Amino acid sequence: MFEESGSCRSNYVELREKLDNYSDKKLKQLQHSTDKAQKSMGMTFNVYHDSKGIEKILHLDLIPRIIKGSEWKVIDEGLQQRIEAINLFLDDIYKDQKILKDKVVPKEMILSSSDYLDPCVGLKPPKGIWCHITGSDIVRDAKGQFYVLEDNLRCPSGVSYLLENREIIKQAFPQLFASLGVRPVSEYPGKLLNMLEYMSDKENPTVAVLTPGIHNSAYFEHSYLAQQMGAELVTGQDLMVQDNKVYMQTTKGLEQVDSIYRRIDDKFIDPMAFNPKSLLGVPGLFEAYKAGNVAIANAPGTGVADDKAVYTYVPKIIKYYLDQDPIIENVPTYMCSEKDDLQYVLENIKDLVVKETNAAGGYGMLIGPKATTEEHEKFKKLVKATPRNYIAQPTLSLSTVPTFGEEGFAPRHVDLRPYALYGKSIDIIPGALTRVAMVKDSLVVNSSQGGGSKDTWVLFD
């Protein structure tokens, strides 16, 4: 909200004036109403391995994050560039592997990735699109520079909270919302449905959201999106494959499904093609997909681009396929599979954030400055045992946004997860899920690790 000089940023002036006119009692009432609205909407997520119960409310902070249109333009253009390049990369590594033959990206790194799926070699996804839905995480340093922290292309979650947060916070500050000129996000479900329909060549395709079920951490989101799109919400047990076509069991008999938004990881969507122990997927689904009888978003095999080791090469991937410099840079990253980088990480682990390349949700991660000596030593052993499975990044001075708590306003670190849809074109939704670390000085924003969220207002200017 404030410049280093102490002056209020122009995009926050009206909000600050509004807040200055509110008493603490009024603000607490608004936060209480926000909490109640979340509970009434059932905005829950599940935390695995939590002895206090797995179902949680993702805390929504009352104070919105406000981003100027000129700043958003950088994010929009940067993500469009990134997604276009990643899509070309996926198409290449499952076909000609030119980028591997030219040694721009190490062949052994791609082929050793647990998410590089041999059955996908030669695959031709509908319209040539692999990554239909992307949720890249972006951070901003103390100087205001945006960086991509990681790319999420398997099953990026959180967009339902973005949409519901908007509805709740808009009610808390209706006049301010109208006067500032905030860009709408409510079109997302319609755009998602249009993209899923576009993938099918049928005139009126049947669309379904494939969920692992009620125990999945993001089940609320799966059901919410299906409801908003007017699509079917199904589990693997609701679907079957006959003659390479996918059918849904209904009270009126079998109905063919033409386009599937799958929220199941690559290796679990079809036990006949990938993990034979999977009980979540649909036997024969991959053959039906290859036969062109059903579309799947994201395309099977996309998960390899979610590998944090691959992330380190995205700037080179952009240069290789588009002959452009990245509009948004990566956070500086050390590859533990590289000898010099490994040595640096082992010697400086207390100052670094170390991440497992195939983990997500804040799991498999060490925040060096906050960890104990014992934790440092434990991670050193893990990294030395399998260097390919780890990267490390410096702890940036992440930007903060005022957050309202029991003791009033306080700065808390945030990141930003915008969402992109790739159909006829690449469309970045003008809003994002701002994740916020609720604990003072903490850099961990993941909901599964106690983080909260904020509504993100992108202005028209």
Side-chain angles (χ1 to χ4, degrees):
M1 179 182 284
F2 298 100
E3 305 279 2
E4 285 186 342
S5 63
S7 60
C8 186
R9 296 180 192 275
S10 59
N11 43 318
Y12 277 101
V13 169
E14 281 193 55
L15 173 64
R16 187 192 178 189
E17 291 174 352
K18 174 71 73 177
L19 296 177
D20 283 347
N21 290 325
Y22 282 170
S23 64
D24 282 351
K25 182 179 179 181
K26 172 67 174 176
L27 289 168
K28 288 179 179 177
Q29 286 175 342
L30 286 174
Q31 184 64 61
H32 180 64
S33 298
T34 297
D35 297 342
K36 284 184 65 176
Q38 279 193 287
K39 290 177 182 175
S40 68
M41 291 177 175
M43 292 173 61
T44 62
F45 69 101
N46 292 344
V47 178
Y48 305 127
H49 314 304
D50 188 330
S51 60
K52 297 180 181 177
I54 62 172
E55 197 168 35
K56 306 284 186 182
I57 294 287
L58 178 62
H59 177 74
L60 169 59
D61 184 70
L62 177 66
I63 311 303
R65 181 181 189 176
I66 303 175
I67 298 177
K68 291 190 286 189
S70 56
E71 295 173 328
W72 186 258
K73 187 171 184 288
V74 175
I75 293 173
D76 186 298
E77 292 177 352
L79 290 181
Q80 288 203 42
Q81 177 196 54
R82 195 172 183 94
I83 292 165
E84 182 182 0
I86 290 174
N87 194 72
L88 292 169
F89 168 73
L90 288 164
D91 205 52
D92 185 19
I93 63 170
Y94 283 116
K95 289 181 184 168
D96 300 325
Q97 300 188 341
K98 291 179 181 175
I99 197 168
L100 307 184
K101 293 171 183 172
D102 289 340
K103 299 182 179 179
V104 176
V105 175
K107 184 176 182 179
E108 60 276 13
M109 187 187 75
I110 298 302
L111 301 187
S112 67
S113 172
S114 61
D115 290 305
Y116 181 81
L117 304 180
D118 288 335
C120 294
V121 172
L123 192 64
K124 296 179 181 177
K127 323 289 186 187
I129 303 171
W130 292 76
C131 44
H132 306 85
I133 302 126
T134 306
S136 295
D137 291 339
I138 294 177
V139 295
R140 198 173 195 183
D141 68 5
K143 296 180 180 178
Q145 182 76 30
F146 290 113
Y147 293 91
V148 175
L149 184 63
E150 60 185 49
D151 299 297
N152 299 287
L153 294 108
R154 282 177 284 194
C155 301
S157 62
V159 74
S160 60
Y161 302 105
L162 178 163
L163 298 169
E164 291 287 57
N165 286 355
R166 173 58 53 84
E167 292 304 310
I168 295 171
I169 299 302
K170 189 166 63 174
Q171 296 302 317
F173 302 107
Q175 294 175 335
L176 180 67
F177 182 85
S179 66
L180 276 178
V182 181
R183 296 177 65 178
V185 296
S186 58
E187 295 175 345
Y188 180 85
K191 290 183 175 181
L192 176 61
L193 179 62
N194 289 340
M195 183 274 288
L196 292 165
E197 291 178 336
Y198 170 71
M199 289 161 52
S200 173
D201 290 326
K202 280 194 174 179
E203 187 172 346
N204 293 301
T206 296
V207 174
V209 176
L210 176 59
T211 175
I214 60 172
H215 296 296
N216 184 266
S217 63
Y219 181 74
F220 164 76
E221 176 155 299
H222 305 165
S223 57
Y224 175 85
L225 290 176
Q227 180 201 34
Q228 293 295 308
M229 290 192 293
E232 302 291 340
L233 180 66
V234 296
T235 65
Q237 294 181 335
D238 298 321
L239 301 179
M240 60 182 298
V241 176
Q242 287 184 353
D243 300 325
N244 275 346
K245 295 179 181 176
V246 182
Y247 294 93
M248 172 175 58
Q249 302 188 56
T250 74
T251 55
K252 297 178 181 178
L254 296 180
E255 178 180 345
Q256 188 172 348
V257 177
D258 307 297
S259 187
I260 297 175
Y261 179 19
R262 53 98 174 186
R263 295 299 297 261
I264 298 176
D265 278 353
D266 285 355
K267 287 177 282 190
F268 292 89
I269 62 173
D270 181 351
M272 294 177 68
F274 305 109
N275 184 347
K277 295 182 180 179
S278 173
L279 300 176
L280 302 176
V282 185
L285 177 60
F286 189 59
E287 285 300 317
Y289 177 68
K290 287 198 296 182
N293 293 327
V294 65
I296 300 175
N298 287 337
T302 307
V304 67
D306 215 315
D307 187 318
K308 292 179 178 61
V310 175
Y311 152 86
T312 62
Y313 285 89
V314 172
K316 291 182 178 179
I317 289 171
I318 291 171
K319 190 68 177 177
Y320 183 80
Y321 293 109
L322 304 181
D323 193 24
Q324 298 171 5
D325 295 323
I327 296 171
I328 310 176
E329 295 284 357
N330 277 10
V331 172
T333 303
Y334 300 97
M335 291 278 294
C336 295
S337 57
E338 300 290 331
K339 184 179 177 182
D340 291 345
D341 283 10
L342 173 62
Q343 188 65 27
Y344 182 84
V345 171
L346 294 175
E347 291 175 356
N348 297 277
I349 198 164
K350 63 181 177 57
D351 299 320
L352 300 170
V353 176
V354 184
K355 297 178 178 178
E356 193 176 331
T357 53
N358 283 305
Y363 296 101
M365 182 170 73
L366 173 85
I367 299 181
K370 301 293 183 183
T372 64
T373 303
E374 288 76 17
E375 289 169 329
H376 292 155
E377 294 304 316
K378 177 185 174 183
F379 252 74
K380 282 184 182 179
K381 290 180 181 177
L382 292 171
V383 172
K384 282 194 281 189
T386 53
R388 162 65 177 81
N389 291 346
Y390 292 90
I391 62 167
Q393 296 168 328
T395 52
L396 297 181
S397 297
L398 299 184
S399 58
T400 61
V401 174
T403 301
F404 187 70
E406 286 297 323
E407 298 177 357
F409 296 109
R412 292 290 184 264
H413 293 295
V414 293
D415 78 355
L416 188 73
R417 179 175 289 184
Y419 294 88
L421 296 174
Y422 193 167
K424 289 182 180 178
S425 60
I426 300 172
D427 193 356
I428 314 298
I429 307 306
L433 180 68
T434 287
R435 301 186 300 175
V436 54
M438 298 306 299
V439 179
K440 182 181 179 182
D441 296 330
S442 173
L443 298 173
V444 181
V445 299
N446 304 75
S447 57
S448 56
Q449 308 295 318
S453 71
K454 284 178 169 289
D455 190 16
T456 309
W457 291 4
V458 177
L459 307 185
F460 274 107
D461 72 284

